[in-house]
């Protein structure tokens, strides 16, 4: 970060100052000076690709809520979040939630699960979302709702004790050490993988019967689908070659098409990655973690445990296989693509740019705007190469007050088809609807990337905006979070 302090975006009082700041950093981030309203807004334009019709360019990303019940059903907290997703006015609800295809595949003991005993709960989530969506928009025409299906793989924590129960495809020299895994820790067998694939088929069939328009076969953030893409060192039919590392996806898709005909399929995937980062020990003092630095790569070059990275410089992007993966999606007639990057477990500044890290995270190693610009520009490059795919862009929440200006420009200039809201949807889900209606932006509700929505789950609490959303701010949960942070 070269010792230079990071400018807080909240101190910039107008869009001209933001544009100057972006230029001073040498970044390429599109930004419109004026916001268009109503039907004149690029964000309100409908999009059609074949049978897929989406009523506007506002999307809501899938997130883990950590607020389901022990058996995988939604709680009142979950229902409230889904209502707010509907209130966003967005016509593409990408999964709403990461839903595990089995109990053992859960990332946390309160993650939703696709199972017979959760059918009614999942149906209710869809129903309340649609009901709330009709309030601001007047209609559910052009509303496309998906369910993100996931298995957490290396990052499984399914049971109440909260201890890691990893299900790995290969041994990773850095991540194994972090999880305290021995060299003889068992790797998933081909037979176990085939059983997981059947879980995806069953969950997709359930999603179709519940009326969801599509399922997302999750391939991002270090979870199982993403780990397949980096399984260069795995032997057998699910590792090694690109064909083998994408066999999981192909077999899931084949079964979904057979068991749930007519159900659309999307893929959210980490288009690029990096070697894991850690706090700089030389700058970590008095319990405060230092800025992130790459883990030592001594004896790990060529780096054979990543996807979308250069083998000889694993902090640098290589989109060769990313482009190959998108070509595969196109060949599989999968049109819905959601671009993200990295993992919250080992390089969150790439995956989720923020000024304030979660309680167990490192300080930003660079101005977070660089991470935003990186994701926006990679999405632009991929969109140019694959104009017939429907792209959802990520990493917009850090833009804060200037999110609408950048979102409008990115869509208007064809850098992405839709703009996805993640953290911002927890505190101010209707921000893009507000601005395109001509309403005044509610600045006090804008996400400032305090990262309590991540710290809370790390402490076993529901994910929400504790600083800004009164529902969490005034709850007993806020007191528990404060105590947990104080005893780090």
């Amino acid at each position: 970060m070269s010792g230079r302090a990071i400018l807080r975006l909240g101190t910039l009082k107008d869009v001209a100052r933001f544009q100057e700041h972006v230029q001073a950093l040498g970044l390429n981030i599109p930004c419109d000076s004026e916001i268009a309203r109503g039907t004149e807004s690029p964000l309100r334009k409908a999009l059609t690709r074949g049978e897929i019709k989406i009523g506007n360019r506002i999307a809501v990303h899938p997130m883990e809520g950590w607020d389901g019940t022990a058996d995988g059903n939604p709680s009142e907290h979950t229902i409230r979040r889904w209502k707010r997703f509907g209130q966003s006015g967005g016509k593409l609800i990408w999964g709403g939630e990461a839903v595990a295809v089995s109990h053992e595949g859960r990332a946390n003991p309160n993650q939703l699960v696709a199972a017979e005993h959760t059918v009614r709960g999942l149906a209710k989530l869809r129903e309340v979302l649609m009901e709330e969506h009709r309030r601001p928009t007047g209609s559910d025409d052009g509303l496309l709702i998906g369910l993100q299906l996931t298995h957490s793989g290396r990052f499984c924590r399914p049971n109440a004790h909260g201890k890691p129960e990893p299900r790995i495809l290969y041994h990773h020299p850095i991540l194994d050490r972090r999880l305290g895994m021995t060299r003889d820790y068992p790797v998933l067998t081909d037979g176990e993988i085939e059983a997981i694939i059947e879980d995806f088929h069953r969950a997709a069939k359930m999603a179709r019967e519940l009326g969801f328009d599509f399922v997302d076969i999750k391939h991002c953030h270090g979870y199982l689908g993403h780990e397949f893409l980096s399984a260069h060192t795995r032997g057998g039919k699910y590792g090694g070659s690109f064909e083998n590392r994408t066999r999981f996806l192909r077999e899931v898709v084949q079964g979904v098409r057979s068991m749930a005909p007519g159900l659309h399929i999307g893929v959210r995937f980490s288009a690029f990655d990096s070697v894991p980062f850690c706090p700089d020990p030389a700058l970590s003092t008095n319990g405060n973690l230092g800025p992130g630095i790459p883990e030592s790569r001594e004896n790990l070059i060529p780096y054979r445990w990543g996807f979308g990275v250069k083998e000889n410089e694993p902090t640098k992007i290589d989109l060769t296989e990313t482009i190959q993966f998108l070509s595969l999606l196109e060949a599989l007639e999968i049109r819905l693509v959601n671009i993200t990057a990295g993992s919250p477990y080992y390089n969150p500044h790439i995956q989720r740019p923020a000024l304030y890290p979660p309680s167990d995270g490192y300080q930003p190693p660079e101005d977070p705007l660089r991470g935003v610009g990186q994701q926006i520009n990679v999405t632009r490059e991929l969109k140019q190469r694959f104009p017939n795919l429907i792209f959802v862009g990520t990493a917009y929440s850090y833009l804060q007050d200037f999110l609408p200006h950048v979102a409008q420009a990115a869509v208007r200039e064809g850098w992405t088809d839709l703009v996805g809201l993640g953290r911002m949807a927890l505190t101010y889900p209707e921000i893009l609807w507000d601005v395109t209606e001509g309403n005044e932006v509610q600045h006090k509700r804008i996400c400032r990337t305090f990262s309590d929505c991540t710290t809370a789950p790390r402490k076993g609490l529901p994910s929400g905006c504790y600083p800004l959303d009164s529902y969490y701010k005034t709850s007993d949960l806020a007191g528990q979070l404060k105590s947990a942070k104080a005893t780090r």
Side-chain angles (χ1 to χ4, degrees), residues 377-389:
N377 279 274
V378 165
T379 303
R380 177 196 189 190
E381 179 178 344
L382 298 175
K383 176 62 189 174
Q384 289 175 338
R385 287 178 176 269
F386 297 92
N388 294 322
L389 297 181

Side-chain angles (χ1 to χ4, degrees), residues 1 4-9 21 25 27 349 353-355 364-373 398:
M1 203 170 63
R4 183 178 178 181
I6 297 172
L7 179 67
R8 287 190 299 113
L9 295 188
H21 180 52
L25 290 173
L27 301 178
H349 74 284
L355 185 57
E366 61 184 9
D367 191 308
L369 273 178
R370 296 191 182 279
V372 174
Y398 182 75

Side-chain angles (χ1 to χ4, degrees), residues 320-367:
T320 303
E321 285 203 334
T322 305
I323 292 165
Q324 198 174 350
F325 186 71
L326 286 169
S327 295
L328 173 62
L329 296 186
E330 202 164 47
L332 292 171
E333 297 184 349
I334 294 173
R335 296 180 184 272
L336 292 162
V337 182
N338 190 316
I339 300 296
T340 180
S343 167
Y345 294 98
Y346 54 81
N347 48 34
H349 74 284
I350 291 171
Q351 178 257 342
R352 186 181 52 224
L355 185 57
Y356 306 97
S359 61
D360 61 350
Y362 50 75
Q363 296 296 320
E366 61 184 9
D367 191 308

Side-chain angles (χ1 to χ4, degrees), residues 24-345:
L25 290 173
L27 301 178
N28 188 17
I29 296 177
C31 181
D32 285 347
S33 297
E34 302 291 335
I35 297 295
R37 299 179 181 180
T39 57
E40 297 301 312
S41 170
L43 296 171
R44 289 291 189 94
K45 305 294 184 186
L47 183 153
T48 301
R49 294 277 194 284
E51 297 178 354
I52 297 175
K53 296 177 174 59
I54 304 171
N56 62 33
R57 305 308 183 92
I58 305 169
V60 176
H61 287 313
M63 290 173 278
E64 289 173 31
W66 281 69
D67 54 19
T69 62
D71 70 350
N73 268 292
S75 69
E76 62 183 52
H77 302 306
T78 321
I79 292 168
R80 179 180 184 266
R81 282 191 299 104
W82 278 63
K83 286 182 177 180
R84 288 163 69 80
F85 298 158
Q87 293 163 9
S88 69
K91 289 290 187 180
L92 178 61
I93 309 299
W94 189 288
E97 194 92 12
V99 178
V101 297
S102 64
H103 169 76
E104 52 275 5
R106 297 166 94 182
N108 69 78
N110 295 97
Q111 186 170 31
L112 300 187
V113 178
E116 286 187 19
H117 66 274
T118 66
V119 166
R120 294 173 118 188
L122 295 177
K124 183 172 184 178
L125 291 178
R126 178 179 173 274
E127 290 165 7
V128 299
L129 187 153
M130 292 180 70
E131 181 181 346
E132 293 297 324
H133 176 82
R134 287 190 285 264
R135 297 185 195 279
T137 65
S139 168
D140 55 23
D141 290 346
L143 175 62
L144 204 72
I145 306 174
L147 202 63
Q148 184 181 67
L149 303 182
T150 184
H151 186 293
S152 298
R154 182 175 293 273
F155 299 105
C156 289
R157 289 175 180 259
N159 293 307
H161 54 64
K163 296 178 182 177
E165 299 179 36
R167 308 273 284 170
I168 63 172
L169 296 174
Y170 60 83
H171 283 282
H172 191 297
I174 298 173
L175 299 181
D176 281 14
R177 171 168 45 82
R178 289 190 180 185
L179 289 170
M181 296 164 62
T182 59
R183 300 171 87 178
D184 60 352
Y185 189 89
V187 170
L188 284 168
T189 66
D190 286 359
E192 288 171 323
I193 291 170
E194 288 163 359
I196 291 171
I197 290 170
E198 291 179 1
D199 288 335
F200 273 86
H201 297 163
R202 176 190 48 78
K205 182 174 183 289
M206 179 185 299
R208 179 181 179 272
E209 291 170 349
L210 290 175
F212 286 92
D213 300 296
F214 72 97
V215 290
D216 166 23
I217 312 303
K218 186 175 185 177
H219 275 67
C220 60
H221 301 165
Y223 296 116
L224 187 68
H226 187 200
E227 185 153 293
F228 270 108
L229 298 182
S230 60
H232 302 275
T233 60
R234 180 186 173 91
K237 66 178 182 178
Y238 291 107
S241 68
F242 179 83
E243 180 182 4
N244 284 353
R245 287 181 281 119
T246 57
R247 188 183 304 277
F248 168 79
L249 172 66
R250 298 196 310 276
E251 292 183 351
V252 169
V253 169
Q254 182 180 15
V256 171
R257 294 258 166 83
S258 173
M259 295 180 66
L263 184 69
H264 295 297
I265 297 174
V267 175
R268 188 173 203 214
F269 80 108
S270 290
F272 60 92
D273 207 346
S274 170
V275 67
F277 273 58
C278 64
D280 186 343
L283 297 176
S284 299
T285 57
N286 300 322
N288 296 315
L289 299 177
I293 58 172
E295 284 267 12
S296 172
R297 299 175 300 288
E298 187 177 355
N299 301 323
L300 298 182
I301 301 297
Y303 187 75
R304 303 184 64 212
W305 303 273
F307 176 79
V309 300
K310 292 185 176 181
E311 284 192 349
N312 293 323
E313 294 181 273
T315 58
K316 302 289 181 63
I317 297 173
D318 181 350
L319 295 179
T320 303
E321 285 203 334
T322 305
I323 292 165
Q324 198 174 350
F325 186 71
L326 286 169
S327 295
L328 173 62
L329 296 186
E330 202 164 47
L332 292 171
E333 297 184 349
I334 294 173
R335 296 180 184 272
L336 292 162
V337 182
N338 190 316
I339 300 296
T340 180
S343 167
Y345 294 98

